[in-house]
Amino acid sequence: GEPALRLLHSALSKTRLDQVAAVQVNEHGTIYLASDGMRHLLGYPGAVQLEGSPTSELILDPAVISGIDSKLSSDVDVQGLRTELRHFNGRGVPVILDVARHLGEDGHWVLVATDDTERRRLEAQLIASEEHHRFLTSATPVGLIEADFTPIALWFERLRAADVSSFADHADDHPAFVRAALRLVEVRSANPAAARLLGDEGFELVD
């Protein structure tokens, strides 16, 4: 919003930005002020190499530039845009962009980038881990079932609150206790081997 933009504009104008990666862009799409944070993020020896460059050399995806221009021309700020900026050596740097109109300068805008490299790396690791797990569980001949026993644990807590001290004695006194408990188990997933073993109705665990 405007208060945040005022703070950002003040910071760009008056302080050294070692942490914030930001640039100011004029109405022609040319960068005229770059922070130390942006220079560090993109590996530039100095801010002067960035200043005077068109945003088309900074933002790798032309569609992103068009989208930013379209939104800003409609007085709509851009928040949380995932894209890539061009590093000094030419590679792409994953970032999350926030872009807003410059206060007091018609047609000018401020672009702030947050490094998204670590989050994307962790996301890729998670996807790879999930795919590996999915492959192992689908390929193994052993039947595997993922089940949630939380409802049973809650039921046991209620029994304890009702002064049931021995579940074994309670089961002897109430023959349907075990079957009722099993019906509380929630089956979340199963691999193909388990499906072949139990059949379509087997996942109810009790018939």
Side-chain angles (χ1 to χ4, degrees):
E2 187 168 306
L5 182 54
R6 286 186 185 278
L7 180 61
L8 172 61
H9 176 56
S10 175
L12 280 167
S13 302
K14 300 177 181 177
T15 65
R16 292 182 56 195
L17 295 181
D18 294 327
Q19 302 299 323
V20 179
V23 295
Q24 288 186 9
V25 182
N26 65 21
E27 69 274 19
H28 304 296
T30 301
I31 298 168
Y32 65 89
L33 181 62
S35 71
D36 285 344
M38 184 66 81
R39 179 175 65 82
H40 291 311
L41 175 63
L42 300 182
Y44 280 77
V48 66
Q49 284 88 0
L50 273 168
E51 294 169 357
S53 301
T55 51
S56 58
E57 293 185 5
L58 178 67
I59 301 174
L60 292 179
D61 188 349
V64 170
I65 300 175
S66 298
I68 290 174
D69 289 339
S70 175
K71 287 192 174 184
L72 292 179
S73 63
S74 302
D75 291 334
V76 177
D77 294 341
V78 179
Q79 295 183 332
L81 178 63
R82 294 176 61 182
T83 186
E84 291 187 349
L85 300 182
R86 190 186 307 276
H87 192 273
F88 183 67
N89 65 15
R91 67 179 175 85
V93 178
V95 296
I96 300 174
L97 293 184
D98 294 306
V99 186
R101 288 161 293 124
H102 191 299
L103 293 179
E105 296 285 350
D106 290 340
H108 293 209
W109 41 282
V110 179
L111 178 150
V112 179
T114 303
D115 191 353
D116 200 29
T117 303
E118 182 64 12
R119 191 200 61 79
R120 290 201 190 184
R121 184 185 69 80
L122 294 175
E123 183 180 73
Q125 285 185 343
L126 178 61
I127 292 174
S129 176
E130 289 176 346
E131 291 178 347
H132 180 65
H133 174 73
R134 192 177 301 113
F135 169 77
L136 290 179
T137 56
S138 63
T140 181
V142 178
L144 299 174
I145 297 174
E146 179 187 6
D148 183 4
F149 287 82
T150 303
I152 290 183
L154 295 175
W155 190 30
F156 282 4
E157 288 298 326
R158 287 196 294 268
L159 290 176
R160 288 193 182 95
D163 295 328
V164 174
S165 57
S166 172
F167 294 128
D169 292 343
H170 186 77
D172 290 339
D173 296 336
H174 302 81
F177 170 77
V178 174
R179 185 174 295 276
L182 287 176
R183 290 190 183 278
L184 294 175
V185 177
E186 298 179 3
V187 176
R188 296 293 181 84
S189 64
N191 69 345
R196 290 192 297 269
L197 178 65
L198 299 177
D200 293 338
E201 297 179 357
F203 294 112
E204 295 181 3
L205 291 187
V206 289
D207 50 26

